[in-house]
Amino acid sequence: MLKRFTVSMEDTLLEDFDNFIKEHHYQNRSEALRDLIRGRIIEKEWQAEKAVMGVISLVYDHHQHQLQEKVTELQHDYHNQIVSTTHVHMDHHNCLEVIIVRGKAGEVRRLADSLTALRGVRNGSLSMSSTGKDLH
Ligand code: NI
């Protein structure tokens, strides 16, 4: 059920908000505000190490010495958090790996950071989602 409430803000902030709405193609202020609030609450849940699902994506050069082995080894260390991994051979040098993860936000973030920190990994990214409930 939707509830209404009134929000007060400065002209300039409201102007920025309306520009944000246009840029992101929101239908109205309510929808934009709901998304922003959800985003912030999810962020807080990450910090609280609640259960999340996430996607880690990596681009790396498989010719880099032992990188492929390190990427695989790290994933075995986190086998409890990894749901699936898809490997795409982008071209002669580059590989794209997309890893779907589920677990405590802290663990998921540690895995993403460790993978991204490996020498030869480019464009490492992590996105997380939470339903607000325990996933297990
Ligand atoms: Ni490959």
Side-chain angles (χ1 to χ4, degrees):
M1 179 171 149
L2 291 173
K3 295 201 174 168
R4 284 176 157 273
F5 68 102
T6 309
V7 179
S8 309
M9 65 175 84
E10 303 93 316
D11 289 358
T12 50
L13 185 60
L14 186 58
E15 214 171 280
D16 288 345
F17 184 46
D18 285 337
N19 288 332
F20 172 88
I21 289 167
K22 255 182 242 154
E23 273 169 37
H24 291 84
H25 308 290
Y26 282 108
Q27 299 296 309
N28 52 57
R29 286 174 176 166
S30 291
E31 188 52 41
L33 192 60
R34 284 195 288 270
D35 263 15
L36 287 173
I37 290 171
R38 276 188 212 108
R40 285 305 299 221
I41 289 172
I42 286 169
E43 221 171 79
K44 207 178 151 214
E45 285 171 356
W46 296 355
Q47 288 161 4
E49 303 216 341
K50 280 200 175 179
V52 294
M53 287 209 73
V55 178
I56 300 169
S57 68
L58 307 169
V59 173
Y60 62 89
D61 184 343
H62 77 273
H63 291 126
Q64 176 81 37
H65 186 59
Q66 287 194 324
L67 181 54
Q68 183 81 70
E69 288 87 337
K70 284 176 194 157
V71 168
T72 303
E73 210 176 288
L74 259 172
Q75 292 188 58
H76 279 278
D77 289 345
Y78 285 85
H79 66 273
N80 286 323
Q81 284 78 33
I82 295 178
V83 179
S84 78
T85 301
T86 299
H87 185 107
V88 179
H89 309 300
M90 290 168 72
D91 55 37
H92 189 69
H93 293 279
N94 296 300
C95 301
L96 166 69
E97 210 148 298
V98 180
I99 306 159
I100 298 177
V101 288
R102 145 190 275 172
K104 282 189 181 172
E107 298 165 343
V108 163
R109 179 159 280 171
R110 263 196 301 282
L111 171 60
D113 287 347
S114 304
L115 287 165
T116 305
L118 290 173
R119 192 189 167 92
V121 172
R122 295 191 290 267
N123 305 326
S125 75
L126 165 67
S127 66
M128 289 196 270
S129 303
S130 168
T131 57
K133 292 172 191 155
D134 197 337
L135 293 167
H136 298 281

